[in-house]
């Protein structure tokens, strides 16, 4: 991360104090000068008054210049009424020091997702310090539209935001602080949806809990389903908790020592990957298979009638057929389409009495049949799409494709792909180049692929390819288009190379990560610090939708080309004639490079969200998270 002058004094307070001292000092100087003028006026004559006027003008000019240059984007709205600063946020100029762990946030805060206890701040259009995360490093952090959740060093889950505290009245209009909801499970990864949170533990168990606090209330006397997704034996092992949650159970027993290692959630479906490379999927709601994104159609849910009758073992076997399969003309106008008996999906009537917002909607997770026997290295889920990456760098995708988000090419015009199909990432390149996909990412209606191109004749290089809906510039190719089915490369961050003095050859500048928000803005980190002896880090580029200030550039216009994430420049401080600090200019001439860079370090101490020291000497690195119109850079614990 960029290192700059650190100060715990707020900018408005510092400005007011500096102005007050300057004005008071100028008054005392002028009064002294006036006494000397009256006493020695016969010698000074007209020159004494002229000197006083000149000094007065100079001092006032300094005050005016300071007031102009020290202001930092009024639309950032970090101030509350009366000029007070929100205690949960700080200016970007106050972020950098070599000791504390500081996290940055910017974008929409209407639901208090970025600053939980804020009172009036709605938009943060430039990166600001989230002081409520000072000294904290997390295992994971995820943001949804109206709430957020994270995992601290203990592996406990915290939630916050207006969507989580729905129905609770905050004191005097302020929000409520993060609340501990799931503890003692050693959680390592979270995935958020509108009504549910999915949590993966270090032991490979997948838990599901409600996204709202009121929905987490456990019925009196009800057991906690902590040992399995169904019977609830938490009381036997002393694992009972105050909230209601469930654990997903595989429809087929896992192999010896096999466990779930990764999860990825779309809008209504969940993907999971095991340690042996098997891919599973789970229906989150009744809309889980509208475009075949599950990879199967049949699953079981608890029978509500049997549960009421006291027979918890009964299930309903449901078939969710994709709309394009059950009714090929479902998009046609009803005035011209032919009435179809299959207009309703099979299972709609059976599901009418089933509440899919409850954590026990479906307690099972199923292996994707078409991927049996195919080892998978990574999974990714868009809003209605699913992707897997194999160990040899191939990519398969299925689900919604009306914006070309699967990247299957312009010859595939189907809106729905129900069978995992290979995404060809080597179109329009030389046959001498070998292509290997190293990372995939998806969210909303966008998908991204990091690929390495290599040949025996030329130096290798890394590229970022994107597909899907680029209406707000999310494709990063300087074009605003609603559909991109051929994977197009983002030119500004693709094909970059640098000369290595040690090896005396060109080496690729690698792309290390891609993060896509559900609303369509993209953050990419590029490792340009190879062989720099630890100086620098990963440059962060950002582009796409910018309606809520999520690009952090102080504007509200979307951007179709990558832009460096910039921070507020540190003011250049000097010393006044009274020995007081005073801002002489808007930018420190020694620190001209103000771009954000992600770094890795060993923290002296790491705190949990309760403010207690969790552990000392912990290796941490900065990581990026993106939500609905929000962006966060936080410290993540390196496992």
């Amino acid at each position: 991360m960029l290192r700059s002058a650190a100060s715990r004094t707020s900018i408005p307070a510092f400005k007011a104090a500096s102005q007050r001292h300057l004005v008071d000092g100028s008054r005392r100087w002028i009064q002294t000068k006036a006494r000397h003028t009256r006493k020695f006026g016969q010698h000074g004559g007209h020159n004494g008054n002229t000197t006083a006027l000149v000094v007065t003008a100079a001092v006032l000019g300094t005050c005016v210049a300071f007031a102009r240059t020290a202001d930092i984007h009024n639309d950032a709205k970090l101030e509350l009424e009366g000029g007070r600063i929100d205690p949960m946020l700080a200016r970007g100029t106050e972020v950098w020091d070599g000791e504390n762990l500081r996290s940055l946030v910017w974008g929409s805060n209407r639901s208090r997702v970025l600053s939980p206890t804020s009172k009036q701040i709605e938009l943060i259009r430039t990166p600001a310090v989230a002081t409520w995360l000072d000294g904290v490093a997390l295992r994971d952090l995820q943001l949804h539209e109206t709430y957020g959740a994270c995992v601290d060093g203990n592996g406990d889950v915290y939630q916050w935001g207006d969507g989580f505290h729905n129905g609770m009245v905050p004191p005097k209009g302020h929000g409520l602080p993060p609340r501990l909801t799931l503890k003692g499970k050693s959680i390592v990864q979270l995935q958020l949806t509108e009504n549910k949170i999915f949590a993966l533990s270090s032991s490979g168990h997948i838990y599901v809990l409600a996204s709202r606090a009121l929905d987490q209330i456990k019925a009196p006397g009800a057991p906690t389903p902590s040992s399995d997704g169904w019977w609830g034996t938490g009381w036997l092992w002393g694992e009972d908790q105050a909230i209601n949650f469930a654990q997903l159970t595989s429809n087929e027993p896992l192999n010896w020592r096999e466990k779930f290692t990764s999860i990825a959630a779309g809008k209504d479906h969940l993907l999971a990957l095991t340690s042996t490379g098997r891919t599973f999927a789970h229906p989150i709601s009744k809309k889980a298979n509208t475009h075949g994104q599950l990879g199967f159609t049949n699953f079981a849910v608890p029978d509500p009638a049997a549960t009421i009758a006291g027979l918890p073992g009964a299930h309903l076997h449901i078939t969710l057929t994709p709309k394009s399969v059950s009714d090929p003309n479902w998009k046609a106008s009803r005035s011209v389409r032919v009435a179809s008996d299959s207009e309703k999906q099979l299972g709609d009537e059976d599901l009418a009495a089933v509440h899919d917002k409850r954590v026990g909607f479906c307690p099972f997770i199923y292996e994707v049949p078409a991927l049996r026997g195919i080892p998978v290295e990574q999974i990714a889920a868009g809003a209605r799409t699913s992707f897997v990456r194999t160990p040899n760098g191939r990519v398969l995708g299925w689900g919604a494709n009306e914006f070309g988000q699967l990247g299957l090419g312009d010859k595939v015009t189907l809106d729905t792909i129900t069978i995992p199909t290979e995404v060809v990432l080597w179109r329009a390149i030389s046959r001498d180049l070998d292509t290997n996909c190293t990372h995939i990412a998806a969210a909303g209606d966008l998908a991204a692929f990091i690929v390495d191109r290599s040949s025996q004749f030329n130096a290798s290089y890394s590229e970022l390819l994107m597909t899907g809906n680029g209406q707000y510039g999310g494709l990063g190719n300087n074009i605003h288009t609603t559909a991109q089915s051929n994977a197009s490369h983002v030119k500004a961050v693709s094909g970059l190379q640098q000369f290595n003095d040690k090896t005396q050859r060109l080496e690729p500048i690698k792309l290390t990560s891609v993060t896509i928000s559900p609303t369509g803005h993209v953050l990419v980190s590029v490792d340009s610090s190879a062989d720099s002896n630890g100086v620098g880090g990963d440059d962060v580029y950002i582009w796409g939708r910018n309606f809520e200030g999520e690009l952090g550039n102080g504007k509200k216009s979307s951007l179709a080309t990558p832009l460096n994430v910039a921070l507020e420049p540190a003011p250049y401080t000097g010393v006044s004639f009274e020995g007081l600090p005073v801002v002489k200019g808007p930018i420190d001439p020694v620190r001209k490079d103000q771009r954000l860079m992600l770094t890795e370090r060993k923290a002296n101490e790491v705190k949990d969200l309760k403010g207690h020291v969790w552990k000392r000497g912990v290796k941490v690195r900065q990581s990026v998270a993106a939500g609905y119109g929000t962006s966060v850079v936080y410290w993540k614990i390196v496992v």
Side-chain angles (χ1 to χ4, degrees):
M1 182 181 283
L2 171 68
R3 292 167 293 279
S4 181
S7 173
R8 294 185 179 274
T9 305
S10 63
I11 291 297
F14 175 75
K15 180 176 69 176
S18 300
Q19 290 176 345
R20 183 171 61 254
H21 286 296
L22 283 174
V23 173
D24 292 343
S26 63
R27 286 175 179 171
R28 290 194 296 271
W29 195 94
I30 294 170
Q31 291 171 359
T32 304
K33 184 64 180 178
R35 289 195 298 269
H36 282 270
T37 302
R38 287 194 298 269
K39 183 175 182 180
F40 305 103
Q42 64 273 22
H43 301 289
H46 184 71
N47 292 336
N49 295 333
T50 303
T51 303
L53 291 175
V54 170
V55 172
T56 303
V59 172
L60 293 178
T62 303
C63 294
V64 172
F66 173 81
R68 288 180 179 176
T69 58
D71 285 344
I72 303 176
H73 292 290
N74 291 332
D75 54 6
K77 296 183 179 180
L78 296 184
E79 295 185 9
L80 302 179
E81 67 276 7
R84 295 182 292 107
I85 297 296
D86 178 7
M88 302 294 281
L89 294 172
R91 299 288 188 178
T93 53
E94 301 176 39
V95 59
W96 313 121
D97 61 47
E99 298 296 331
N100 297 325
L101 301 178
R102 297 284 181 87
S103 298
L104 290 173
V105 296
W106 63 93
S108 174
N109 193 48
R110 290 189 174 90
S111 298
R112 298 182 177 92
V113 173
L114 299 180
S115 181
T117 59
S118 293
K119 185 176 181 181
Q120 292 181 337
I121 298 177
E122 293 185 353
L123 296 181
I124 306 170
R125 294 184 183 171
T126 55
V129 181
T131 57
W132 60 283
L133 287 174
D134 277 357
V136 176
L138 304 169
R139 295 188 181 187
D140 195 14
L141 183 147
Q142 298 291 327
L143 303 175
H144 205 261
E145 187 172 7
T146 61
Y147 74 98
C150 70
V151 185
D152 68 358
N154 294 314
D156 298 333
V157 177
Y158 287 80
Q159 294 176 243
W160 64 89
D162 291 350
F164 169 67
H165 294 294
N166 187 25
M168 299 183 181
V169 181
K172 298 181 180 180
H174 288 277
L176 296 174
R179 177 190 291 183
L180 175 62
T181 54
L182 186 62
K183 62 180 179 178
K185 299 299 180 184
S186 187
I187 303 300
V188 294
Q189 186 184 359
L190 294 175
Q191 289 292 287
L192 311 187
T193 63
E194 182 179 1
N195 299 301
K196 302 172 187 177
I197 295 180
F198 294 87
L200 175 67
S201 70
S202 58
S203 58
H205 297 125
I206 302 176
Y207 302 99
V208 53
L209 60 154
S211 62
R212 297 176 180 86
L214 294 179
D215 296 335
Q216 293 179 353
I217 300 176
K218 185 174 61 174
T224 299
S226 56
S227 295
D228 54 44
W230 206 228
W231 296 106
T233 56
W235 60 271
L236 183 62
W237 309 105
E239 297 177 348
D240 264 351
Q241 300 207 22
I243 69 167
N244 181 37
F245 68 95
Q247 179 183 330
L248 300 185
T249 303
S250 172
N251 67 317
E252 297 180 1
L254 299 182
N255 299 325
W256 175 250
R257 292 187 176 180
E258 183 182 16
K259 65 177 183 178
F260 291 106
T261 57
S262 177
I263 56 176
K267 189 175 181 180
D268 296 287
H269 74 294
L270 178 81
L271 297 179
L273 182 65
T274 71
S275 54
T276 60
R278 296 166 65 190
T279 306
F280 288 72
H282 167 78
I284 297 176
S285 72
K286 300 177 185 179
K287 298 180 180 179
N289 207 39
T290 55
H291 292 77
Q293 59 266 42
L294 280 179
F296 54 84
T297 58
N298 300 319
F299 62 94
V301 299
D303 188 348
T307 303
I308 295 175
L311 302 174
H315 298 85
L316 292 177
H317 295 278
I318 305 301
T319 299
L320 284 185
T321 306
K323 290 183 178 180
S324 61
V325 176
S326 61
D327 184 8
N329 300 315
W330 69 281
K331 282 190 174 182
S333 171
R334 292 187 177 275
S335 61
V336 298
R337 63 182 291 184
V338 178
S340 173
D341 294 335
S342 60
E343 186 170 326
K344 288 186 177 182
Q345 296 189 68
L346 181 62
D348 279 356
E349 296 180 358
D350 295 332
L351 284 174
V354 178
H355 299 285
D356 57 358
K357 294 182 180 180
R358 297 178 178 175
V359 296
F361 165 65
C362 178
F364 304 110
I365 187 166
Y366 300 84
E367 186 174 7
V368 178
L371 295 177
R372 286 194 178 119
I374 299 178
V376 171
E377 185 82 11
Q378 184 191 359
I379 55 175
R384 298 160 299 140
T385 55
S386 301
F387 294 92
V388 296
R389 178 176 61 86
T390 63
N392 59 357
R394 299 297 182 94
V395 177
L396 303 174
W398 67 99
N401 193 48
E402 68 269 45
F403 302 111
Q405 56 263 54
L406 293 181
L408 301 180
D410 50 15
K411 294 183 179 180
V412 179
T413 58
L414 297 175
D415 290 346
T416 298
I417 304 296
T418 59
I419 300 175
T421 305
E422 184 170 5
V423 181
V424 179
L425 300 174
W426 51 87
R427 289 190 177 93
I429 65 169
S430 173
R431 294 184 178 181
D432 296 333
L433 289 174
D434 294 330
T435 298
N436 177 41
C437 182
T438 60
H439 183 78
I440 55 177
D445 295 319
L446 285 171
F449 315 91
I450 297 178
V451 297
D452 286 344
R453 313 278 198 192
S454 60
S455 72
Q456 57 181 343
F457 304 106
N458 300 311
S460 61
Y461 59 92
S462 180
E463 278 194 333
L464 175 63
L465 308 177
M466 297 203 66
T467 60
N469 187 353
Q471 179 180 1
Y472 305 112
L475 296 173
N477 57 2
N478 204 25
I479 298 176
H480 295 267
T481 179
T482 57
Q484 177 66 43
S485 55
N486 288 314
S488 63
H489 71 282
V490 182
K491 186 178 298 185
V493 295
S494 298
L496 304 178
Q497 296 177 325
Q498 61 186 356
F499 185 78
N500 191 322
D501 292 331
K502 293 182 178 180
T503 61
Q504 293 294 304
R505 58 185 296 181
L506 285 174
E507 292 184 351
I509 298 178
K510 296 285 188 178
L511 291 91
T512 54
S513 68
V514 182
T515 304
I516 306 175
S517 75
T519 49
H521 73 284
V522 184
L523 295 99
V524 172
S525 60
V526 180
D527 182 11
S528 57
S529 61
D531 294 328
S532 59
N533 296 322
V535 179
D538 292 353
D539 285 289
V540 181
Y541 292 86
I542 192 169
W543 67 89
R545 186 181 181 272
N546 195 33
F547 292 0
E548 309 288 343
E550 55 263 49
L551 296 189
N553 58 358
K555 303 177 181 179
K556 292 188 68 176
S557 56
S558 300
L559 191 65
T561 55
L563 174 73
N564 273 114
V565 176
L567 302 173
E568 293 292 351
Y572 174 35
T573 57
V575 180
S576 69
F577 57 84
E578 291 188 344
L580 298 173
V582 57
V583 173
K584 291 186 176 181
I587 300 177
D588 187 339
V590 181
R591 305 178 187 274
K592 295 181 180 180
D593 189 0
Q594 300 293 327
R595 70 184 190 272
L596 174 65
M597 301 188 75
L598 306 182
T599 61
E600 186 173 299
R601 56 185 284 195
K602 179 174 287 188
N604 294 332
E605 64 179 28
V606 171
K607 299 178 181 178
D608 57 22
L609 284 185
K610 293 182 179 179
H612 303 146
V613 176
W614 169 65
K615 192 176 290 187
R616 303 181 188 276
V618 182
K619 189 176 181 181
V620 295
R621 67 168 178 264
Q622 288 174 302
S623 185
V624 174
Y628 288 72
T630 55
S631 302
V632 176
V633 175
Y634 69 99
W635 289 94
K636 187 172 185 177
I637 299 171
V638 178
V639 180

